[in-house]
Amino acid sequence: MGEQKIRIMDTTLRDGSHAVRHQFTKENVRQIVQALDEAGVPVIEVTHGDGLGGSTIQYGVSLVDEMELIEEAVKTSKRAKIAALLLPGVGTKKELMQAKDIGIEMVRIATQCSEADVSQQHFGLAKELGLETVGFLMMAHMLPPEELAEQARLMESYGADTVYIVDSAGTMMPDDVSDRVDALRKVLQIPIGFHGHNNMGLAIGNSIAAIKAGALNIDTSTRGLGAGSGNTQTEVLVGVLSRLGYETGIDLFKIMDAAEYIVNPVMHDQMIINRDALTIGCMGVYSTFLIHAKNAGEKFGVDPRNILMELGRRKAVAGQEDWILDVAAELSEMKG
Ligand SMILES: C[C@H](O)CC(=O)C(=O)O
Ligand SMILES: [Mn+2]
């Protein structure tokens, strides 16, 4: 039986940006924010899939400037906090200040799980700006629990109000999740969050494992719209948590309708665990590489799974999208 309220942060308009190749329009944002806000979703993240400043050739160019999308979200939301993601190096302090001026109330500062130290200045500025701050430790399966806890403690010391364990590859098993939440709980004074991907069909199960281990914040996407085979599905998690007796403050029928009638029509593909997504989960590869690997596979005539397997062997991480074409070219040459 649940004791505490679980805060759901919906990332349909940020992680989902990967799945629609960053082609969201202002009308998409207005409709989705209105529906999620009315359903009672407390936090809605709106940014390019790779965070502020992500609209580039390397990561994918946005159809509409993310600052316009963020402004539309702020204008539309009556209750939900609008959040933005920031990867230090992809986004800079300039974009953070711009997003704050537009009206975000939260920034989620994301680093490779072993590189929390690059985020110190960004947390400092975010606190100066009066923003709620979330630390986002990506590819969190790549560090053992105690070392991940050390990184989380660094982010807490920089000013993080919450720290997330981010299963960017959707490769974790439930025990991997609970071991990491346990380790963070032993060293942190602040709440813990979990961000899952469904490449092994475990996003919901892993989110429940995180909650049972003490996480109070869970990332979700409506209809699961996100990188790879998508994220923990908002409406499904709300249903599961209501069965388990946890409070989310979200109306189940309204979030179901948001998924069915608002998000579903804008999706390029349904979120299924296809061969490429399953390969990503098995190999522990960064979910956002999926679409890039498919494009490179078509360009060089190689199976995207072979590209993803090699990227897994090389332990490629966020920001190394440029390796994808190199690997595809090498595999193509080897094919002769
Ligand atoms: C920039 C990434 O898409 C952040 C994220 O959602 C993940 O690592 O998962
Ligand atoms: Mn993600």
Side-chain angles (χ1 to χ4, degrees):
M1 192 61 170
E3 292 81 40
Q4 296 182 316
K5 186 168 181 180
I6 301 303
R7 180 166 68 159
I8 283 182
M9 299 195 193
D10 187 291
T11 187
T12 307
L13 290 166
R14 197 283 301 164
D15 217 318
S17 176
H18 293 299
V20 298
R21 292 172 170 74
H22 315 295
Q23 301 304 296
F24 280 134
T25 65
K26 286 169 76 169
E27 183 54 13
N28 295 155
V29 169
R30 191 190 62 74
Q31 288 189 16
I32 293 172
V33 168
Q34 185 176 20
L36 299 190
D37 189 33
E38 277 175 15
V41 173
V43 178
I44 300 170
E45 186 180 55
V46 185
T47 331
H48 181 279
D50 290 280
L52 292 169
S55 178
T56 56
I57 300 287
Q58 168 150 331
Y59 299 123
V61 178
S62 301
L63 174 67
V64 177
D65 183 314
E66 64 189 347
M67 297 297 177
E68 290 181 41
L69 299 181
I70 294 171
E71 190 167 22
E72 192 67 25
V74 170
K75 232 169 53 185
T76 306
S77 175
K78 293 186 172 52
R79 292 184 295 178
K81 273 189 181 183
I82 301 303
L85 185 78
L86 172 69
L87 277 69
V90 175
T92 68
K93 291 180 166 184
K94 178 172 141 284
E95 284 88 15
L96 179 54
M97 289 188 282
Q98 219 181 330
K100 161 66 175 152
D101 290 344
I102 291 173
I104 64 165
E105 294 179 83
M106 175 192 288
V107 62
R108 310 207 306 163
I109 302 172
T111 73
Q112 171 61 16
C113 59
S114 53
E115 295 172 5
D117 58 342
V118 305
S119 63
Q120 181 166 9
Q121 294 177 44
H122 305 79
F123 277 106
L125 175 61
K127 296 316 282 182
E128 272 172 41
L129 295 171
L131 292 169
E132 182 179 353
T133 56
V134 170
F136 216 62
L137 291 168
M138 299 189 288
M139 296 292 276
H141 70 281
M142 295 178 86
L143 275 186
E146 286 64 35
E147 290 178 42
L148 188 72
E150 268 318 294
Q151 296 295 310
R153 217 183 38 74
L154 276 178
M155 285 190 159
E156 182 182 44
S157 71
Y158 299 155
D161 297 309
T162 303
V163 176
Y164 263 73
I165 297 162
V166 181
D167 183 15
S168 310
T171 191
M172 284 187 183
M173 299 291 120
D175 286 352
D176 298 326
V177 177
S178 27
D179 290 350
R180 283 164 177 73
V181 175
D182 285 344
L184 267 67
R185 239 193 32 250
K186 288 194 180 91
V187 301
L188 296 183
Q189 306 306 315
I190 55 175
I192 297 162
F194 176 72
H195 174 101
H197 278 270
N198 203 40
N199 300 327
M200 305 291 276
L202 290 168
I204 288 283
N206 283 346
S207 300
I208 298 302
I211 290 167
K212 296 259 183 203
L216 295 176
N217 299 269
I218 302 289
D219 269 17
T220 63
S221 287
T222 304
R223 205 72 172 193
L225 187 64
S229 62
N231 301 101
T232 304
Q233 210 165 329
T234 309
E235 63 276 21
V236 177
L237 185 67
V238 170
V240 169
L241 290 179
S242 68
R243 284 267 279 106
L244 292 173
Y246 286 93
E247 252 308 299
T248 60
I250 297 174
D251 179 297
L252 181 55
F253 269 39
K254 285 184 178 172
I255 196 68
M256 284 179 185
D257 289 347
E260 195 76 29
Y261 302 114
I262 306 296
V263 176
N264 185 37
V266 305
M267 293 170 73
H268 290 191
D269 308 294
Q270 289 302 313
M271 293 289 111
I272 58 167
I273 305 172
N274 60 25
R275 301 180 310 170
D276 302 333
L278 183 54
T279 303
I280 282 180
C282 292
M283 291 302 291
V285 174
Y286 194 52
S287 289
T288 63
F289 288 174
L290 187 145
I291 290 180
H292 300 296
K294 275 172 77 165
N295 295 343
E298 277 160 28
K299 184 181 167 92
F300 287 92
V302 295
D303 186 332
R305 290 173 297 177
N306 292 329
I307 302 171
L308 293 165
M309 298 275 279
E310 183 55 26
L311 290 167
R313 277 190 281 271
R314 296 186 189 186
K315 299 199 179 312
V317 297
Q320 291 175 319
E321 277 77 354
D322 53 320
W323 288 14
I324 297 170
L325 283 175
D326 296 345
V327 167
E330 285 169 32
L331 292 172
S332 173
E333 261 165 52
M334 280 157 62
K335 254 177 70 175

